[in-house]
Short mmCIF file of all heavy atoms in Angstrom, two decimals:
data_model
loop_
_atom_site.label_atom_id
_atom_site.label_comp_id
_atom_site.label_asym_id
_atom_site.label_seq_id
_atom_site.Cartn_x
_atom_site.Cartn_y
_atom_site.Cartn_z
N PHE A 108 9.37 2.61 4.17
CA PHE A 108 7.91 2.50 4.28
C PHE A 108 7.48 1.08 3.82
O PHE A 108 8.16 0.11 4.10
CB PHE A 108 7.22 3.60 3.46
CG PHE A 108 7.89 4.93 3.66
CD1 PHE A 108 8.67 5.52 2.66
CD2 PHE A 108 7.77 5.59 4.88
CE1 PHE A 108 9.32 6.74 2.88
CE2 PHE A 108 8.41 6.82 5.08
CZ PHE A 108 9.18 7.38 4.08
N VAL A 109 6.35 0.99 3.10
CA VAL A 109 6.01 -0.27 2.43
C VAL A 109 5.58 0.15 1.03
O VAL A 109 4.42 0.51 0.82
CB VAL A 109 4.86 -1.04 3.09
CG1 VAL A 109 4.80 -2.47 2.52
CG2 VAL A 109 4.97 -1.06 4.59
N SER A 165 -8.37 1.89 -4.25
CA SER A 165 -7.09 2.58 -4.53
C SER A 165 -5.92 2.02 -3.74
O SER A 165 -4.78 2.13 -4.16
CB SER A 165 -7.25 4.06 -4.25
OG SER A 165 -7.68 4.24 -2.93
N GLY A 166 -6.17 1.45 -2.56
CA GLY A 166 -5.06 0.94 -1.79
C GLY A 166 -5.51 0.41 -0.43
O GLY A 166 -6.72 0.29 -0.16
N GLY A 167 -4.52 0.10 0.40
CA GLY A 167 -4.81 -0.51 1.68
C GLY A 167 -5.64 0.36 2.61
O GLY A 167 -6.50 -0.14 3.34
N SER A 168 -5.39 1.68 2.60
CA SER A 168 -6.15 2.55 3.50
C SER A 168 -7.63 2.49 3.13
O SER A 168 -8.50 2.34 4.02
CB SER A 168 -5.66 3.99 3.41
OG SER A 168 -4.29 4.05 3.68
N MET A 169 -7.91 2.60 1.85
CA MET A 169 -9.31 2.59 1.40
C MET A 169 -9.93 1.21 1.65
O MET A 169 -11.09 1.11 2.06
CB MET A 169 -9.35 2.94 -0.09
CG MET A 169 -10.74 3.09 -0.66
SD MET A 169 -11.74 4.29 0.21
CE MET A 169 -11.33 5.77 -0.64
N ASN A 171 -9.16 -0.87 4.03
CA ASN A 171 -9.47 -0.97 5.45
C ASN A 171 -10.69 -0.15 5.81
O ASN A 171 -11.53 -0.57 6.61
CB ASN A 171 -8.26 -0.51 6.29
CG ASN A 171 -7.23 -1.63 6.44
OD1 ASN A 171 -7.53 -2.72 6.92
ND2 ASN A 171 -5.99 -1.37 6.02
N HIS A 204 -1.74 -0.21 11.80
CA HIS A 204 -1.40 0.91 10.92
C HIS A 204 -2.33 2.10 11.22
O HIS A 204 -3.49 1.91 11.57
CB HIS A 204 -1.56 0.49 9.46
CG HIS A 204 -1.02 1.48 8.49
ND1 HIS A 204 -1.79 2.48 7.94
CD2 HIS A 204 0.23 1.62 7.97
CE1 HIS A 204 -1.01 3.20 7.12
NE2 HIS A 204 0.21 2.71 7.13
N CYS A 206 -3.92 3.98 9.37
CA CYS A 206 -5.14 4.12 8.57
C CYS A 206 -6.35 3.53 9.31
O CYS A 206 -7.49 3.93 9.06
CB CYS A 206 -4.99 3.51 7.18
SG CYS A 206 -4.92 1.73 7.15
N ASN A 257 -3.75 -8.15 12.59
CA ASN A 257 -2.69 -7.77 11.66
C ASN A 257 -2.07 -8.97 10.99
O ASN A 257 -1.66 -9.91 11.67
CB ASN A 257 -1.56 -7.04 12.41
CG ASN A 257 -1.96 -5.65 12.84
OD1 ASN A 257 -2.32 -4.83 12.02
ND2 ASN A 257 -1.92 -5.42 14.15
N ALA A 258 -1.99 -8.92 9.66
CA ALA A 258 -1.21 -9.92 8.95
C ALA A 258 -0.05 -9.15 8.33
O ALA A 258 -0.15 -8.66 7.20
CB ALA A 258 -2.05 -10.61 7.88
N GLY A 259 1.01 -8.99 9.10
CA GLY A 259 2.15 -8.18 8.67
C GLY A 259 2.00 -6.76 9.16
O GLY A 259 1.39 -5.94 8.46
N THR A 260 2.53 -6.47 10.35
CA THR A 260 2.41 -5.09 10.84
C THR A 260 3.38 -4.22 10.09
O THR A 260 4.43 -4.67 9.64
CB THR A 260 2.75 -5.02 12.36
OG1 THR A 260 4.04 -5.54 12.55
CG2 THR A 260 1.75 -5.78 13.19
N VAL A 261 3.03 -2.94 10.01
CA VAL A 261 3.83 -2.01 9.23
C VAL A 261 5.24 -1.88 9.78
O VAL A 261 6.21 -1.81 9.04
CB VAL A 261 3.11 -0.64 9.10
CG1 VAL A 261 2.85 -0.02 10.46
CG2 VAL A 261 3.88 0.30 8.21
N ASP A 286 -6.08 -6.61 8.61
CA ASP A 286 -5.29 -5.72 7.76
C ASP A 286 -4.07 -6.53 7.30
O ASP A 286 -3.14 -6.76 8.06
CB ASP A 286 -4.86 -4.48 8.54
CG ASP A 286 -3.96 -3.57 7.69
OD1 ASP A 286 -3.76 -3.84 6.49
OD2 ASP A 286 -3.44 -2.57 8.25
N GLY A 287 -4.15 -6.93 6.03
CA GLY A 287 -3.03 -7.73 5.48
C GLY A 287 -2.38 -6.99 4.33
O GLY A 287 -2.01 -7.61 3.33
N ALA A 288 -2.22 -5.69 4.50
CA ALA A 288 -1.79 -4.82 3.38
C ALA A 288 -0.70 -5.48 2.53
O ALA A 288 -0.82 -5.56 1.32
CB ALA A 288 -1.31 -3.47 3.92
N PHE A 289 0.35 -5.96 3.18
CA PHE A 289 1.33 -6.71 2.38
C PHE A 289 1.44 -8.15 2.87
O PHE A 289 1.58 -9.07 2.08
CB PHE A 289 2.71 -6.01 2.38
CG PHE A 289 3.31 -5.77 3.74
CD1 PHE A 289 4.36 -6.55 4.20
CD2 PHE A 289 2.86 -4.75 4.55
CE1 PHE A 289 4.94 -6.33 5.44
CE2 PHE A 289 3.41 -4.53 5.82
CZ PHE A 289 4.45 -5.32 6.25
N ASP A 315 -3.12 -5.00 -0.40
CA ASP A 315 -2.70 -4.21 -1.55
C ASP A 315 -2.13 -5.13 -2.63
O ASP A 315 -1.60 -6.19 -2.34
CB ASP A 315 -1.55 -3.28 -1.14
CG ASP A 315 -2.06 -1.94 -0.65
OD1 ASP A 315 -2.90 -1.34 -1.36
OD2 ASP A 315 -1.61 -1.49 0.40
N HIS A 317 -0.36 -3.14 -5.00
CA HIS A 317 0.74 -2.26 -5.43
C HIS A 317 1.93 -2.35 -4.49
O HIS A 317 2.93 -1.68 -4.70
CB HIS A 317 0.28 -0.81 -5.64
CG HIS A 317 -0.38 -0.17 -4.45
ND1 HIS A 317 -1.39 0.74 -4.58
CD2 HIS A 317 -0.17 -0.28 -3.13
CE1 HIS A 317 -1.78 1.17 -3.38
NE2 HIS A 317 -1.03 0.57 -2.49
N LYS A 318 1.82 -3.14 -3.44
CA LYS A 318 2.99 -3.31 -2.58
C LYS A 318 3.70 -4.59 -2.96
O LYS A 318 4.61 -4.60 -3.78
CB LYS A 318 2.56 -3.33 -1.11
CG LYS A 318 2.06 -1.99 -0.59
CD LYS A 318 1.73 -2.07 0.89
CE LYS A 318 1.57 -0.74 1.55
NZ LYS A 318 0.54 0.14 1.00
N TYR A 324 1.12 1.66 -8.96
CA TYR A 324 0.06 2.32 -8.19
C TYR A 324 -1.08 2.70 -9.12
O TYR A 324 -0.82 3.07 -10.25
CB TYR A 324 0.63 3.59 -7.53
CG TYR A 324 1.48 3.24 -6.34
CD1 TYR A 324 2.84 3.11 -6.48
CD2 TYR A 324 0.90 3.00 -5.10
CE1 TYR A 324 3.63 2.74 -5.38
CE2 TYR A 324 1.67 2.67 -4.01
CZ TYR A 324 3.04 2.53 -4.15
OH TYR A 324 3.78 2.17 -3.08
N ARG A 466 14.62 0.96 9.39
CA ARG A 466 13.64 -0.09 9.07
C ARG A 466 13.73 -0.41 7.57
O ARG A 466 13.47 0.46 6.73
CB ARG A 466 12.23 0.41 9.43
CG ARG A 466 11.14 -0.53 9.12
CD ARG A 466 9.80 0.08 9.52
NE ARG A 466 8.75 -0.52 8.74
CZ ARG A 466 8.50 -0.25 7.47
NH1 ARG A 466 9.22 0.65 6.83
NH2 ARG A 466 7.52 -0.84 6.85
C1 PLP B 609 -0.08 -2.75 7.45
C2 PLP B 609 -0.53 -1.63 6.56
N1 PLP B 609 -1.84 -1.33 6.50
C3 PLP B 609 -2.31 -0.38 5.70
C4 PLP B 609 -1.46 0.38 4.92
C5 PLP B 609 -2.01 1.47 4.02
O1 PLP B 609 -1.96 1.03 2.69
P1 PLP B 609 -1.94 2.10 1.46
O2 PLP B 609 -0.63 2.80 1.57
O3 PLP B 609 -2.01 1.24 0.25
O4 PLP B 609 -3.10 2.99 1.63
C6 PLP B 609 -0.08 0.13 4.97
C7 PLP B 609 0.85 0.94 4.19
O5 PLP B 609 2.04 0.80 4.28
C8 PLP B 609 0.39 -0.92 5.79
O6 PLP B 609 1.70 -1.22 5.87
#
Side-chain angles (χ1 to χ4, degrees):
F108 316 107
V109 193
S165 56
S168 303
M169 186 56 88
N171 278 304
H204 190 269
C206 71
N257 287 302
T260 56
V261 59
D286 177 5
F289 58 104
D315 270 312
H317 56 214
K318 291 184 165 58
Y324 286 93
R466 179 180 155 284

